[in-house]
Amino acid sequence: MLKILMKFFKFCNEENRKKFYISIAFGVLDAIFTGMKIPAAYFAIDGYK
């Protein structure tokens, strides 16, 4: 998969490559924040007791 991404980066021009890096960063942040919902729900329920 990484080889395919590297080929894609080589194929893109500089502007599209920059946009792709930004979209990957936002995707990673979105995954982290989505994963943080589970512990937040646990602490909310635990604090309710």
Side-chain angles (χ1 to χ4, degrees), residues 8-42:
F8 182 76
F9 286 135
K10 288 180 183 178
F11 178 73
C12 289
N13 61 12
E14 188 67 31
E15 181 182 348
N16 288 334
R17 189 176 306 135
K18 186 176 180 180
K19 289 179 184 179
F20 195 60
Y21 283 136
I22 291 170
S23 70
I24 290 173
F26 279 130
V28 169
L29 285 175
D30 182 49
I32 290 170
F33 292 141
T34 300
M36 290 173 65
K37 289 180 185 177
I38 296 169
Y42 169 76

